Amino acid sequence: MKRWVLAAALLGAPAAAQTDPQRLSDDVKTLASDAFEGRAPGTAGETRTVDWLVARFKALGLQPGGRNGSWTQGVPLVRTRLGAGSITAGVPLVQGRDIYLSTVRPVDRATIANAPMVFVGYGVAAPERGWDDFKGVDLKGKVAVFLVNDPDFGAAPGEDAAGTFGDRRMTYYGRWTFKFEEAARRGAIAALIVHDTPGAGYGWSTVTAPQGENYDIVRRPGDTRVLLQGWLEGGAAARLFAASGHDLAALRTAARRRGFRPIALKQTFSADLAVEHARAESRNVLAKLSGGRHPDEVVMFGAHWDAYGKGAPDGQGRTIRTGANDDALGTAGVLDLARQFARGPRPDRTLVFALWTGEERGLLGSETYAVDPVYPAAKTVANLTLDILQTAGPARDVLLVGNGQNTLEDDLAAAARAQGRTVTPEALPERGLFYRADHFSLARRGVPTLLLMAISGAPDLVAGGRSAGQAWLDGYMRCYHQTCDAWDQGWDLRGAAQDVDLFHAIGARLATTRAWPRWRDGSEFKAVRAETEGERR
């Protein structure tokens, strides 16, 4: 009964606190300092960040986790920023106010002249659900206009879409990334999504936070993206549709019917915008503790080190978006897990500690890894991801993102019970948080995953209950992706430390047993995992 006391008797014994809140705070204070310049990929801030992270892993006694004894994995990126120019769709549209555009194409100018605009409803083609919004309409050279989220978001009982896409729980069809990809697959020259805060899960200020900047992985020839992609502000979209003789509210209802057909708008879309573009070489940071008995089997812990870098001054003149909680705090949690496991007995399985780049630009670092994994997905036991932890003190519960996906949820419940806590499913499944963090890149390849993300609901705080938790959540969301997501000496990180301890308990069990977590029936990732079942016997 040594090996981490067999993971506290397989998660059944009362859990002792392992993570020091002050150590978390100290690491965040460093990572979120101005010296790191907001940790944007491909900048001097990245160099300082990666060097500091590698030094920390070395000091903890870990081994390089990349190929050929490297601490990093290269992530070639294209970085773009839209400059000055014009945007019209019957009437002028002001970038940042009426519309938000970016590009991932490395071109000198993004020019579209009088392209037809086609409203495609939610833009879903899902034969397994008997749903097709496109009805064979040709989108080549056109601008596709989408609604955000799924067809059953907001659907009333009896409507065709009701329950077809999991009710209010967003599926991957509802994500903006899917819609942009689908537009490109169908030959559209641009893709616009009508923004509304409930459907998107965040306000307009979050949409515009990148300030025209975008990143993408370096694509293979033929793997193209639309020339321009972005969002129409809700009020501006309503005016644009009205000018074309349509009521946007009525079209939302119409788009929830199976018989919906795309609608050609009267306006054409034109844009002529300067584009700055450059290649950037970013890096994932990878460290490991090699397993003794089954070194080819991997338990992975992850967080993203990147934030949004420098931007326009806020009301107080601050320009650096330090990403203190998102996700310097998650990064600090992974570092502390590495510290704890390095001080314990050698694990049976290899433990990998992955700190990703490019999450804020579309999960680019984890996606690069998933396309070219250092450790095969078939032998990766699980990925446990920390991305935004609450800073308001101990909680009676832990929030679960993606309820019903896989059996790691059972491990989470057992670990929480050992802390005297319960598990609360995410309160806002319509935000699609399960598809918005780095674990998703691994999940798409069949790896069972577990995500802790505090913005999935209001925590039940020991001091003040769920109402106090809601007050914390509301306050944090005002700073989400903004300059005010900054380190604060007034943070109470005892709750964040609780959550890191949960992953320590779950990871210890996976590292010292022969358990292979499984996707549940109904998960879209079960079939992918099943393809490699023979490699785990």
Side-chain angles (χ1 to χ4, degrees):
M1 285 288 283
K2 186 179 179 183
R3 318 186 61 77
W4 292 287
V5 196
L6 199 57
L10 302 188
L11 305 182
Q18 301 282 342
T19 304
D20 180 0
Q22 186 59 52
R23 188 163 39 240
L24 294 179
S25 181
D26 291 344
D27 282 347
V28 175
K29 184 179 181 181
T30 298
L31 284 166
S33 66
D34 286 354
F36 288 75
E37 299 180 354
R39 307 190 308 282
T43 67
E46 161 164 358
T47 301
R48 295 189 187 100
T49 301
V50 171
D51 288 350
W52 187 83
L53 293 172
V54 170
R56 290 283 281 115
F57 279 133
K58 287 181 178 179
L60 292 171
L62 273 74
Q63 304 151 342
R67 290 191 176 93
N68 302 317
S70 173
W71 288 97
T72 62
Q73 177 188 38
V75 180
L77 299 175
V78 173
R79 183 172 63 192
T80 62
R81 184 185 292 276
L82 289 185
S86 61
I87 311 167
T88 62
V91 295
L93 297 170
V94 176
Q95 170 80 328
R97 186 191 71 187
D98 307 312
I99 193 170
Y100 176 78
L101 293 175
S102 68
T103 186
V104 294
R105 296 258 201 103
V107 296
D108 295 329
R109 294 197 73 81
T111 301
I112 298 174
N114 299 314
M117 301 180 72
V118 181
F119 174 63
V120 295
Y122 290 90
V124 173
E128 78 282 3
R129 300 170 193 256
W131 201 273
D132 176 21
D133 283 330
F134 296 98
K135 307 295 192 299
V137 168
D138 183 11
L139 290 180
K140 290 185 175 64
K142 299 176 182 178
V143 177
V145 182
F146 298 81
L147 297 174
V148 71
N149 218 299
D150 293 312
D152 62 357
F153 179 76
E159 288 189 292
D160 290 353
T164 303
F165 294 86
D167 297 314
R168 292 184 67 83
R169 183 179 303 281
M170 185 187 286
T171 68
Y172 190 44
Y173 296 116
R175 286 287 289 137
W176 56 267
T177 49
F178 175 84
K179 296 174 193 292
F180 292 158
E181 291 167 0
E182 187 68 13
R185 282 190 287 268
R186 293 174 181 269
I189 194 170
L192 300 173
I193 300 173
V194 176
H195 177 266
D196 70 84
T197 296
Y202 40 78
W204 185 246
S205 65
T206 298
V207 170
T208 61
Q211 299 176 5
E213 184 182 61
N214 212 335
Y215 288 76
D216 196 16
I217 60 175
V218 175
R219 299 283 173 183
R220 297 184 298 271
D223 184 8
T224 59
R225 293 295 184 260
V226 293
L227 179 59
L228 288 171
Q229 61 188 45
W231 299 74
L232 284 167
E233 190 276 330
R239 293 190 294 274
L240 189 153
F241 276 78
S244 194
H246 296 287
D247 183 331
L248 180 57
L251 288 180
R252 289 184 190 278
T253 301
R256 297 198 289 263
R257 303 186 187 115
R258 293 184 190 277
F260 167 83
R261 300 188 68 84
I263 296 170
L265 302 181
K266 292 179 181 178
Q267 295 94 327
T268 60
F269 181 89
S270 297
D272 186 29
L273 299 158
V275 181
E276 299 174 16
H277 61 90
R279 289 281 291 266
E281 183 74 20
S282 192
R283 290 174 290 173
N284 294 323
V285 180
L286 300 170
K288 70 177 181 180
L289 290 171
S290 295
R293 299 181 183 181
H294 309 287
D296 60 328
E297 299 172 4
V298 169
V299 179
M300 177 179 283
F301 303 89
H304 69 90
W305 61 253
D306 69 305
Y308 271 112
K310 296 179 180 179
D314 65 9
Q316 300 178 41
R318 297 175 296 187
T319 61
I320 298 177
R321 293 165 290 178
T322 64
N325 195 337
D326 184 14
D327 189 31
L329 183 51
T331 298
V334 171
L335 289 172
D336 208 74
L337 287 166
R339 180 193 64 81
Q340 294 176 46
F341 281 113
R343 291 186 174 187
R346 186 177 184 181
D348 292 342
R349 289 164 157 168
T350 295
L351 303 182
V352 172
F353 304 88
L355 297 175
W356 311 114
T357 183
E359 190 274 351
E360 299 293 8
R361 276 73 181 184
L363 316 183
L364 300 182
S366 58
E367 179 65 14
T368 296
Y369 175 91
V371 169
D372 183 24
V374 177
Y375 308 93
K379 288 294 189 77
T380 301
V381 178
N383 171 277
L384 308 177
T385 291
L386 297 170
D387 195 344
I388 305 179
L389 303 176
Q390 60 90 358
T391 60
R396 298 184 182 93
D397 65 350
V398 58
L399 297 163
L400 170 62
V401 180
N403 184 37
Q405 283 283 0
N406 62 59
T407 58
L408 286 169
E409 298 165 16
D410 299 335
D411 293 336
L412 180 66
R417 189 163 52 248
Q419 289 184 338
R421 301 167 72 194
T422 59
V423 174
T424 300
E426 60 185 316
L428 302 166
E430 64 272 20
R431 289 185 175 178
L433 293 178
F434 190 82
Y435 309 97
R436 287 168 52 185
D438 286 306
H439 73 291
F440 179 59
S441 299
L442 282 297
R444 290 175 67 181
R445 277 75 183 184
V447 177
T449 61
L450 190 63
L451 168 67
L452 295 186
M453 181 178 275
I455 59 172
S456 59
D460 183 10
L461 298 176
V462 171
R466 209 166 297 281
S467 60
Q470 187 65 53
W472 171 84
L473 179 61
D474 292 343
Y476 176 72
M477 290 307 295
R478 287 192 289 271
C479 289
Y480 184 51
H481 291 174
Q482 307 301 314
T483 54
C484 55
D485 182 7
W487 175 83
D488 188 333
Q489 64 181 355
W491 280 355
D492 184 344
L493 294 183
R494 289 178 294 168
Q498 283 181 305
D499 288 349
V500 175
D501 284 346
L502 290 174
F503 270 11
H504 182 268
I506 295 168
R509 174 181 179 268
L510 296 176
T512 55
T513 69
R514 303 298 296 135
W516 289 95
R518 294 175 291 100
W519 294 101
R520 300 193 194 279
D521 293 340
S523 170
E524 57 264 57
F525 311 112
K526 183 176 182 179
V528 179
R529 188 66 161 178
E531 292 173 3
T532 60
E533 186 64 35
E535 299 181 46
R536 291 183 292 280
R537 292 175 182 164

